[in-house]
């Protein structure tokens, strides 16, 4: 391309994009006109889950509190990729904030998984005491020390996890033998279901519905709020209430992106993320507690189980001993400070 035609070409292109941009309409121009910082907040959950309901409210509040200087854009439902993709993106700074299970974060910061030990927390009093106390502080310190990320103080809730599948009710640990189960990508998850003699496969949440539908796996495990909002009941028959693990979502931030914000905006973001997290905890627990009847009407067959039988199986498979060794005596002591002796 000669110089002149090249210049003309560039001129045409920029004229075209100016028209295209104004053609986007008044909405986006006005909404983003004043924003100095446009930030991406991403996660894997449906827009109807309490996490995203509260995230959208939080984004609106951040816009108001910052007088339009911060535009926090919520990308739900793995729109920006699977958890594995999103974790790479936030590490590189292509995503600013990302909600991630401590166990999946374990692929990057191994110690983060400690809150996911099977049957560790007896109830939510123990969960929040630990996660808002020394155990959470220990994990956040590891995250900041070992990655380009940091975690906000208040972890959000996912809930106690239950097992669904398309073949049989899980009444006792032996019923899991050989079952093809989807687990999230995380060493601890795989280890735990191997200890139950199941056949776990790591699959990102973005692919779970189709993996169940096409019967690549028989089952999966998740809190009821996810089984409901992601409509997993459409492709599953049995739901066994095992409460085998509590799970949450750290709100992770990219350090470099956060450090670009002036102090007053950092404070606005921090305050609103933590406030939204606390509200989301209340909503998520209420939803998890209310869904059994609703999902029975959708055809899911429920059964309850005896925790102690499952715990005994993990114990005899050496699960606690193995992870105690991996995390080390100090970290384990911090966990047991809240849970009592685990094995
Ligand atoms: O992947 C899952 O199962 C989910 C949605 O619960 C997590 O993000 C850990």
């Amino acid at each position: 391309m000669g110089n002149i035609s090249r210049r003309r070409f560039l001129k045409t292109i920029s004229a075209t994009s100016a028209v295209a941009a104004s053609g986007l309409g008044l909405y986006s121009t006005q909404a983003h006109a004043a924003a100095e910082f446009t930030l991406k907040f991403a996660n894997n959950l449906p827009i109807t889950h309490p996490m995203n309901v509260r995230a959208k409210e939080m984004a609106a509040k951040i816009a108001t509190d910052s007088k339009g200087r911060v535009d926090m854009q919520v990308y739900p439902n793995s729109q920006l990729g699977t958890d594995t993709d999103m974790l790479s993106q936030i590490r590189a700074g292509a995503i600013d904030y990302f909600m991630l299970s401590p166990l999946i974060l374990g692929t990057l910061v191994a110690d983060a998984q400690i809150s996911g030990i099977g049957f560790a927390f007896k109830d939510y009093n123990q969960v929040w005491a630990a996660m808002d106390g020394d155990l959470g502080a220990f994990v956040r310190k590891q995250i900041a020390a070992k990655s380009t990320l940091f975690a906000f103080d208040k972890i959000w809730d996912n809930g106690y996890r239950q097992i669904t599948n398309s073949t049989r009710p899980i009444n006792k640990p032996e019923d899991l033998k050989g079952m093809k189960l989807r687990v999230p990508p995380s060493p601890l998850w795989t280890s735990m279901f191997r200890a139950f003699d199941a056949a776990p496969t790591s699959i990102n949440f973005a692919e779970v519905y189709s993996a169940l539908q096409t019967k690549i796996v028989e089952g999966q495990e998740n809190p009821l709020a996810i089984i409901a909002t992601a409509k997993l009941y459409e492709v599953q028959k049995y739901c066994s209430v095992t409460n085998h693990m509590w799970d949450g979502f750290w709100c992770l931030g990219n350090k470099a992106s956060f450090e670009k914000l002036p102090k007053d905006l950092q404070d606005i973001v921090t305050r609103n993320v933590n406030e939204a997290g606390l509200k989301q905890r209340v909503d998520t627990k209420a939803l998890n507690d209310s869904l059994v009847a609703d999902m029975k009407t959708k055809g899911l067959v429920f059964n309850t189980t005896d925790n102690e039988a499952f715990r005994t199986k993990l114990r005899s498979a050496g699960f606690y001993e193995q992870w105690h060794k991996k995390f080390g005596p100090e970290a384990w002591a911090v966990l047991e400070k809240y849970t009592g002796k685990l094995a």
Side-chain angles (χ1 to χ4, degrees):
M1 213 183 273
N3 252 352
I4 294 176
S5 60
R6 185 196 180 91
R7 218 175 289 140
R8 197 175 295 143
F9 173 74
L10 291 175
K11 225 171 153 184
T12 315
I13 290 283
S14 62
T16 314
S17 15
V19 171
S22 68
L24 281 176
L26 292 168
Y27 287 110
S28 57
T29 321
Q30 277 183 348
H32 303 303
E36 281 166 58
F37 300 94
T38 301
L39 303 170
K40 290 189 168 127
F41 178 101
N43 65 76
N44 64 3
L45 289 186
I47 192 74
T48 48
H49 188 281
M51 176 203 281
N52 282 312
V53 175
R54 289 301 182 180
K56 290 189 85 177
E57 181 184 73
M58 170 191 83
K61 191 107 189 318
I62 288 173
T64 311
D65 291 357
S66 70
K67 306 199 166 47
R69 294 171 69 196
V70 179
D71 177 13
M72 182 85 87
Q73 303 188 327
V74 179
Y75 293 88
N77 221 11
S78 306
Q79 273 175 18
L80 299 184
T82 65
D83 280 332
T84 306
D85 298 332
M86 290 190 281
L87 183 56
S88 306
Q89 289 176 55
I90 192 177
R91 288 174 71 189
I95 290 176
D96 305 284
Y97 302 99
F98 174 36
M99 305 299 290
L100 187 64
S101 163
L103 283 80
I104 303 178
L105 182 58
T107 56
L108 181 64
V109 181
D111 283 340
Q113 299 177 97
I114 194 163
S115 58
I117 287 289
F119 302 99
F121 302 115
K122 275 167 215 65
D123 55 37
Y124 271 103
N125 290 335
Q126 288 191 356
V127 170
W128 302 133
M131 301 315 286
D132 292 340
D134 293 348
L135 191 71
F138 161 74
V139 169
R140 290 192 299 276
K141 204 167 147 194
Q142 300 298 313
I143 296 169
K146 293 185 175 153
S147 73
T148 57
L149 313 176
F150 70 99
F152 288 91
D153 284 353
K154 300 294 176 189
I155 192 169
W156 297 34
D157 193 19
N158 189 356
Y160 280 88
R161 300 180 74 98
Q162 324 299 354
I163 302 174
T164 67
N165 76 91
S166 54
T167 46
R168 58 182 181 268
I170 306 299
N171 287 300
K172 42 191 193 325
E174 301 84 78
D175 297 329
L176 280 168
K177 199 167 178 182
M179 181 171 280
K180 279 196 250 163
L181 267 190
R182 173 271 172 174
V183 293
S186 148
L188 180 60
W189 244 304
T190 304
S191 151
M192 187 164 150
F193 281 90
R194 285 220 179 105
F196 283 133
D197 299 323
T201 313
S202 293
I203 297 177
N204 274 294
F205 189 68
E207 279 124 35
V208 167
Y209 186 97
S210 71
L212 295 170
Q213 189 174 38
T214 57
K215 303 230 156 66
I216 287 173
V217 287
E218 297 169 80
Q220 64 86 45
E221 43 80 61
N222 249 305
L224 297 184
I226 288 181
I227 296 165
T229 56
K231 299 193 190 322
L232 302 184
Y233 56 81
E234 292 177 350
V235 286
Q236 296 282 268
K237 182 75 193 155
Y238 300 99
C239 182
S240 305
V241 179
T242 48
N243 292 309
H244 54 273
M245 167 206 295
W246 171 82
D247 188 29
F249 289 95
W250 286 116
C251 181
L252 301 172
N254 175 283
K255 277 185 218 158
S257 158
F258 189 73
E259 280 157 15
K260 280 191 203 128
L261 298 176
K263 177 77 170 59
D264 60 328
L265 297 184
Q266 287 183 347
D267 291 347
I268 288 172
V269 168
T270 303
R271 188 180 66 239
N272 281 295
V273 166
N274 287 329
E275 274 178 21
L278 292 180
K279 290 181 188 161
Q280 185 269 0
R281 288 180 184 179
V282 178
D283 300 345
T284 303
K285 178 165 190 313
L287 189 58
N288 277 326
D289 287 350
S290 73
L291 279 167
V292 173
D294 178 53
M295 286 202 291
K296 275 185 183 163
T297 68
K298 298 204 155 88
L300 214 51
V301 177
F302 278 84
N303 70 282
T304 53
T305 58
D306 168 21
N307 275 4
E308 210 36 53
F310 286 80
R311 218 172 159 162
T312 303
K313 172 68 183 167
L314 288 184
R315 222 177 262 131
S316 66
F319 173 81
Y320 294 105
E321 202 184 307
Q322 176 197 343
W323 286 94
H324 185 161
K325 262 199 210 118
K326 279 203 183 139
F327 291 126
E330 280 174 39
W332 197 260
V334 181
L335 174 64
E336 286 191 333
K337 177 177 150 188
Y338 298 97
T339 61
K341 266 252 163 286
L342 283 171

